[in-house]
Amino acid sequence: MYTMVTEAQKRANKKWDEEHKERKAYIAKRSTARNFIKKFATDEDIEELKRLIAEREGRSV
């Protein structure tokens, strides 16, 4: 279903995007990571990610 977006909404969206570039990049990267984990990661990938997370949290696996 297609929803019409007003010109005012388009301008508002563009303004938000320009003012929040870092947040927008963060959200895109997080989405990419989640998609990879859910759809493509092998068991080896998952184990590596678990190790990296454990290191980040300061504990050993």
Side-chain angles (χ1 to χ4, degrees):
M1 178 179 207
Y2 181 74
T3 304
M4 296 291 293
V5 178
T6 65
E7 289 301 316
Q9 186 62 55
K10 288 179 187 177
R11 286 192 306 273
N13 290 345
K14 184 177 178 181
K15 181 180 178 188
W16 189 93
D17 289 347
E18 290 171 356
E19 292 177 357
H20 299 90
K21 289 181 187 214
E22 288 181 18
R23 179 68 180 161
K24 192 173 175 190
Y26 167 82
I27 292 168
K29 289 174 185 177
R30 183 180 65 187
S31 177
T32 299
R34 287 178 175 182
N35 187 51
F36 173 77
I37 292 167
K38 288 180 180 181
K39 296 182 180 179
F40 301 106
T42 64
D43 289 343
E44 288 178 11
D45 294 328
I46 297 297
E47 289 306 315
E48 180 181 6
L49 291 167
K50 285 180 183 178
R51 181 182 57 75
L52 293 169
I53 291 168
E55 287 175 11
R56 171 102 184 233
E57 293 177 336
R59 57 184 168 84
S60 59
V61 176

